[in-house]
Amino acid sequence: MLVAAAVCPCPPLLVPEVASGAAPELDGLRAACDDALRDVLAARPDLIVAVGPADGPDRTGYPQGAPGTFRTFGVPLDVSLGRAEPDADAPGPSLPVSLAVGAWLLDRAGWTGPVRGLSAGSDRDRRANHGDGARTAASADRVALLVLGDGSARRSLKAPGYLDERAERVDADLARALGRTDDGTFLPSLDADLARDLMISGRSPWQVLDGAADGARLSGRLLYEAAPYGVGYFVASWS
């Protein structure tokens, strides 16, 4: 059963070593992520599952101890998704960047309990994402999610995807849905074509969350909403 969730963005710049001299610019975002994860830990989950975006139509699971790195950004920093069990097999494939950021956030929050990772492809349909969420919620008595993904990367002229006039309105709808201040219908209805046009990476992970939360009666709090660098970032806590 899902007992809590933290929704966080996953730009590598969230990691101060990657951001370097620009690190203070995202201090408020980091603090909001810390708050959301404190709420998750306060719910005393038996298992935390980090869910992040990936390219394509597939899903990939990652075991506890799966390795990740930020060396591709010129930073000698490695992470892992919790500590591998002493008798565990080889940890398998490396984490995508989104889940490496998630591993860094969980370590920063002090989580030492069971953890797994799941990457959800950007082209995966709503029903498949919803099913992944339902199965994840049923995988332990008390499950919490760390759900990673960004809003539109087309919020300004200097944004990675340049300006799209639709981006601000769509991100506003996402903020309301992630804060659970509307009827919650926008997360499952966000289609892959629109998300691709607006460069929204969080669509599939958020739909996994929607499936996991079905019937859980969790309330939500939107802790952060802004578009630094022209990219929509949201932080929310569900408990």
Side-chain angles (χ1 to χ4, degrees), residues 101-196:
V101 171
W104 178 83
L105 285 169
L106 287 169
D107 182 67
R108 176 179 167 98
W111 176 250
T112 59
V115 60
R116 295 205 301 263
L118 174 68
S119 64
S122 58
D123 295 332
R124 203 161 167 77
D125 68 31
R126 183 211 64 81
R127 182 174 295 183
N129 288 327
H130 198 274
D132 284 342
R135 285 186 290 273
T136 298
S139 62
D141 287 341
R142 299 182 63 82
V143 176
L145 298 184
L146 169 56
V147 185
L148 301 141
D150 302 341
S152 177
R154 306 192 67 179
R155 289 281 297 274
S156 72
L157 294 175
K158 294 184 178 181
Y162 196 66
L163 177 66
D164 189 304
E165 299 292 346
R166 300 171 294 173
E168 186 171 355
R169 174 184 55 80
V170 171
D171 273 2
D173 289 340
L174 287 167
R176 286 191 294 272
L178 292 169
R180 308 211 89 178
T181 56
D182 66 2
D183 61 6
T185 60
F186 191 71
L187 293 179
S189 67
L190 179 62
D191 69 77
D193 290 338
L194 179 61
R196 190 181 304 110

Side-chain angles (χ1 to χ4, degrees), residues 20-226:
S20 188
E25 297 176 11
L26 294 182
D27 280 347
L29 176 56
R30 293 184 194 97
C33 291
D34 292 342
D35 287 346
L37 280 167
R38 272 193 290 270
D39 288 347
V40 162
L41 269 58
R44 295 178 298 159
D46 299 322
L47 168 70
I48 293 180
V49 180
V51 185
D55 294 330
D58 299 327
R59 66 182 294 280
T60 303
Y62 297 86
Q64 183 163 322
T69 186
F70 294 98
R71 292 178 183 270
T72 53
F73 301 98
V75 176
L77 176 63
D78 299 319
V79 294
S80 65
L81 194 62
R83 296 182 179 179
E85 299 294 338
D87 58 348
D89 296 332
S94 294
L95 299 170
V97 172
S98 63
L99 291 182
V101 171
W104 178 83
L105 285 169
L106 287 169
D107 182 67
R108 176 179 167 98
W111 176 250
T112 59
V115 60
R116 295 205 301 263
L118 174 68
S119 64
S122 58
D123 295 332
R124 203 161 167 77
D125 68 31
R126 183 211 64 81
R127 182 174 295 183
N129 288 327
H130 198 274
D132 284 342
R135 285 186 290 273
T136 298
S139 62
D141 287 341
R142 299 182 63 82
V143 176
L145 298 184
L146 169 56
V147 185
L148 301 141
D150 302 341
S152 177
R154 306 192 67 179
R155 289 281 297 274
S156 72
L157 294 175
K158 294 184 178 181
Y162 196 66
L163 177 66
D164 189 304
E165 299 292 346
R166 300 171 294 173
E168 186 171 355
R169 174 184 55 80
V170 171
D171 273 2
D173 289 340
L174 287 167
R176 286 191 294 272
L178 292 169
R180 308 211 89 178
T181 56
D182 66 2
D183 61 6
T185 60
F186 191 71
L187 293 179
S189 67
L190 179 62
D191 69 77
D193 290 338
L194 179 61
R196 190 181 304 110
D197 286 350
L198 296 182
M199 300 175 67
I200 296 171
S201 73
R203 172 188 165 270
S204 283
W206 298 331
Q207 289 182 348
V208 171
L209 169 61
D210 187 71
D214 190 22
R217 297 185 179 180
L218 301 180
S219 60
R221 293 190 301 138
L222 187 66
L223 303 175
Y224 183 98
E225 176 191 3

